[in-house]
């Protein structure tokens, strides 16, 4: 990015003061900003970092004394939750996706690509695939037979889109993501040890089963993504067995997220890093699963559920629940339990005896 304060302020529809012609090359954290950087400091908490840094200009909170902060110019942003997305969007230097079709690509003659689709080097697009207008595909991407990708999508380097997978409009697939790999679905001829353990509640010692060969259920159902879905780097969404695995409009997956076969995820959900969803789970709308959340197979999670990091869901969850822990429980109860365990640990180390509550005898 190369701009001046006055042109950037006009692009953001924000007021500025100081030297409007001051050049800025990139956005930066206030503490490490150099003279040619634009420091982004949207609250007074960044004032000391600005004074310690070397920025010549900054985007500041309204009412800030930019001269006292040692700046040559400042743009003023309102205290609004969407200010930072607007600013970072305007200052984004752009991605490395291609703007045209590289000669070293392999596009099957039976594939149908809109005229302005851009494809990077060494990517392959199989027969029957359809790519919508404005979509850009990075290098070393594989798109399987019959896959359908909507308009204005971004498929980054090294991603793989499997056979018959369907992406809606404006989807983003980050590097290394895999959409439509086979689901992990195997059965034995007679009940397997995991089935026997579940039926017995884990109380019995297991013995060798009558049959130990695993037979694979082939994945015929593919994957369907809605509009504005984002799949993080090195995340995987498995194909369904007989019906598609589905992810609703506006849902975002962080890096290293796994979604198993036959899963259905609603609209506008967030699945944070290293979350794992086992097969045939149904998740409602606006669900946020904190990092490393796990969900056991075949469970149903209602709308507007939030989990803390490391939560393990082993049963159905009603709408609006806020959960934490292993196994998952109401967050306030889980925190209370953790505090109680810490007190017990301190008492054990000190040799103190727990003080009984009034009205209770030991």
């Amino acid at each position: 990015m190369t701009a001046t304060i006055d042109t950037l302020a006009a692009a953001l529809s924000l007021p500025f003061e100081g030297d409007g012609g001051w050049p800025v090359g990139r956005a930066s954290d206030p503490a490490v900003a150099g003279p040619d950087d634009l420091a982004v400091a949207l609250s007074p908490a960044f004032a000391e970092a600005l004074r310690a840094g070397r920025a010549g200009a900054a985007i500041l909170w309204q009412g800030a004394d930019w001269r006292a902060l040692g700046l040559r110019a400042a743009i003023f942003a309102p205290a609004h939750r969407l200010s930072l997305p607007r600013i970072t969007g305007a200052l984004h230097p752009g991605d490395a996706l291609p703007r045209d079709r590289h000669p070293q690509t392999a596009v099957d003659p039976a594939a149908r690509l809109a005229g302005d689709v851009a494809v990077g080097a060494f990517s392959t697009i199989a027969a029957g695939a359809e790519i919508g207008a404005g979509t850009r595909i990075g290098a070393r991407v594989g798109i399987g037979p019959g896959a359908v990708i909507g308009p204005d999508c971004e498929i980054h380097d090294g991603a793989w889109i499997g056979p018959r997978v369907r992406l809606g409009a404006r989807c983003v697939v980050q590097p290394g993501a895999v959409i439509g790999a086979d689901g992990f679905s195997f059965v034995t001829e007679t009940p397997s040890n995991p089935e026997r353990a579940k039926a017995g509640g884990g109380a019995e010692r297991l013995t060798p089963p009558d049959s130990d060969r695993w037979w694979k259920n082939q994945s015929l159902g593919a994957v369907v993504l809605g509009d504005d879905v984002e799949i993080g780097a090195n995340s995987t969404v498995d194909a369904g067995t007989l019906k598609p695995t589905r992810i609703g409009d506006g849902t975002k997956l962080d890096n290293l997220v796994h979604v198993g076969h036959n899963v259905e995820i609603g609209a506008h959900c967030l699945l944070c890093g290293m979350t794992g969803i086992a097969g045939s789970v149904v998740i409602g709308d606006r669900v946020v699963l904190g990092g490393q959340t796990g969900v056991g197979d075949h469970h149903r999670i209602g709308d507007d559920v939030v989990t803390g990091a490391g939560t393990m869901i082993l049963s159905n969850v009603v709408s609006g629940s806020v959960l934490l822990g292993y196994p998952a429980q109401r967050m306030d109860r889980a925190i209370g339990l953790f505090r109680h365990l810490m007190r017990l640990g301190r008492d054990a180390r000190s040799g103190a005896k727990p003080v009984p509550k009034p009205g209770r005898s030991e």
Side-chain angles (χ1 to χ4, degrees):
M1 180 196 76
T2 301
T4 57
I5 289 296
D6 53 2
T7 58
L8 186 58
L12 291 168
S13 299
L14 294 175
F16 77 93
E17 294 181 12
D19 184 358
W22 186 264
V24 288
R26 62 175 184 140
S28 180
D29 181 272
V32 297
D36 297 329
D37 297 336
L38 180 71
V40 179
L42 298 178
S43 80
F46 293 100
E48 289 305 315
L50 272 172
R51 292 189 182 97
R54 299 183 300 133
I59 296 182
L60 300 177
W61 63 98
Q62 289 183 325
D65 186 347
W66 58 276
R67 294 181 181 86
L69 294 170
L71 301 173
R72 296 290 299 272
I75 298 172
F76 297 93
H80 191 278
R81 293 173 60 88
L82 297 183
S83 291
L84 188 58
R86 283 189 60 219
I87 292 166
T88 56
L91 299 177
H92 194 279
D95 54 53
L97 288 172
R99 299 289 174 176
D100 53 19
R101 195 172 303 177
H102 196 281
Q104 291 177 305
T105 59
V107 180
D108 191 282
R112 295 185 291 277
L113 279 65
D116 62 347
V117 169
V119 186
F122 307 113
S123 290
T124 60
I125 301 176
E130 299 181 21
I131 315 294
T135 287
R136 294 184 295 146
I137 298 168
R140 303 179 307 281
V141 171
I143 296 177
V148 177
I149 298 176
D152 300 314
C153 292
E154 299 178 6
I155 314 298
H156 289 260
D157 294 359
W160 186 80
I161 312 297
R164 305 176 307 282
V165 168
R166 302 181 69 91
L167 277 64
R170 300 173 302 280
C171 289
V172 176
V173 180
Q174 297 288 356
V178 174
I179 304 175
D182 283 351
F184 193 69
S185 181
F186 297 86
V187 297
T188 50
E189 186 175 352
T190 58
S192 64
N193 275 344
E195 293 172 291
R196 295 161 65 193
K198 185 175 182 179
E204 299 179 4
R205 184 178 295 275
L206 297 173
T207 57
D210 294 333
S211 60
D212 53 10
R213 176 179 174 180
W214 294 101
W215 295 80
K216 182 172 183 173
N217 286 319
Q218 296 295 336
S219 298
L220 308 179
V223 177
V224 175
L225 307 186
D227 297 338
D228 302 299
V229 171
E230 180 157 346
I231 307 297
N234 293 323
S235 291
T236 58
V237 182
D238 288 349
T241 305
L242 297 175
K243 63 178 183 178
T245 301
R246 294 183 178 273
I247 298 180
D249 293 348
T251 286
K252 318 294 185 184
L253 273 59
D254 195 359
N255 302 337
L256 297 170
V257 169
H258 175 75
V259 176
H261 63 282
N262 298 344
V263 169
E264 298 180 16
I265 300 176
H268 306 295
C269 298
L270 293 180
L271 276 62
C272 300
M274 301 181 71
T275 287
I277 312 297
S280 300
V281 168
V282 177
I283 297 176
D285 298 334
R286 300 173 301 278
V287 171
V288 178
L289 301 182
Q292 293 188 315
T293 292
V295 183
D297 61 283
H298 291 84
H299 297 314
R300 301 182 71 91
I301 299 175
D303 299 336
D304 302 300
V305 169
V306 174
T307 70
T311 299
M312 186 66 196
I313 294 174
L314 300 175
S315 61
N316 294 340
V317 179
V318 299
S319 295
S321 298
V322 182
L323 304 176
L324 180 67
Y326 187 154
Q329 55 190 300
R330 213 172 73 186
M331 183 176 284
D332 60 336
R333 293 175 178 171
I335 293 172
L337 177 60
F338 297 155
R339 288 174 176 167
H340 182 62
L341 291 174
M342 291 174 66
R343 286 195 296 271
L344 288 177
R346 287 196 297 269
D347 291 343
R349 289 191 297 272
S350 65
K353 293 183 178 180
V355 178
K357 290 184 177 181
R360 297 183 63 181
S361 60
E362 292 297 306

